[in-house]
């Protein structure tokens, strides 16, 4: 008959991202800045998802440098932008999260191409 396929280990990425986001949201709710906490959680979730998608690059120093740079750019955006007060449906926040994730993945891809190009030039020259 058919051969049993190897069972892949369960991926707990969603649970891990949720566990990271929960204290952030609760902290901002406690501080009375629920709007900022919601915006930060969307940005953080998209960033963590992009990191998980490109987790194969974790052994490269530039990967971690890019992550630090992405977070450093987001700090002023979260703090100084006037976020809407009140409830915003998750569907309205989804395009922002998708765009955020795609931009970060594009940054990773660009840096990966640049570093591969410099490595190949240094080996050839």
């Amino acid at each position: 008959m058919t051969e049993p396929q190897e069972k892949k280990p369960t991926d707990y990425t969603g649970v891990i991202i949720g566990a990271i986001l929960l204290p952030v949201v609760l902290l901002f709710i406690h501080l009375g800045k629920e709007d900022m906490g919601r915006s930060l959680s969307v940005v953080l979730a998209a960033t963590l998802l992009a990191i998980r998608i490109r987790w194969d690059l974790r052994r490269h120093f530039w990967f971690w440098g890019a992550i630090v740079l992405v977070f450093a750019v987001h700090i002023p955006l979260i703090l100084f932008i006037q976020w809407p007060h009140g409830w915003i449906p998750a569907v309205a926040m989804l395009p922002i999260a998708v765009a955020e994730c795609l931009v970060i993945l594009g940054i990773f891809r660009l840096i990966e191409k640049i570093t591969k190009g410099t490595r190949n030039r240094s080996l050839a020259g």
Side-chain angles (χ1 to χ4, degrees):
M1 301 224 179
T2 61
E3 296 179 25
Q5 294 185 358
E6 290 185 36
K7 192 173 182 180
K8 293 183 179 180
T10 305
D11 186 11
Y12 292 106
T13 302
V15 175
I16 293 168
I17 291 174
I20 292 170
L21 294 178
L22 183 63
V24 172
V25 172
L26 292 176
L27 173 69
F28 279 92
I29 289 173
H30 178 72
L31 295 174
K33 298 197 178 256
E34 183 181 347
D35 52 337
M36 189 183 296
R38 186 182 325 106
S39 302
L40 180 62
S41 65
V42 168
V43 169
L44 189 58
T47 305
L48 292 174
L49 183 61
I51 290 169
R52 175 61 181 107
I53 290 171
R54 295 309 311 254
W55 190 242
D56 59 316
L57 301 173
R58 68 184 176 272
R59 291 187 175 91
H60 298 281
F61 179 74
W62 61 262
F63 177 72
W64 297 105
I67 292 170
V68 168
L69 183 66
V70 164
F71 281 127
V73 167
H74 282 88
I75 290 172
L77 291 175
I78 294 296
L79 293 177
F80 298 123
I81 291 179
Q82 184 67 29
W83 298 101
H85 295 284
W87 183 77
I88 300 173
V91 174
M93 298 291 274
L94 184 63
I96 296 169
V98 170
E100 173 76 20
C101 189
L102 291 175
V103 166
I104 295 170
L105 289 172
I107 291 170
F108 290 160
R109 180 140 174 121
L110 176 67
I111 296 173
E112 185 179 23
K113 280 186 175 185
I114 291 171
T115 57
K116 282 186 178 181
T118 57
R119 190 179 329 139
N120 291 339
R121 276 188 253 139
S122 65
L123 293 176

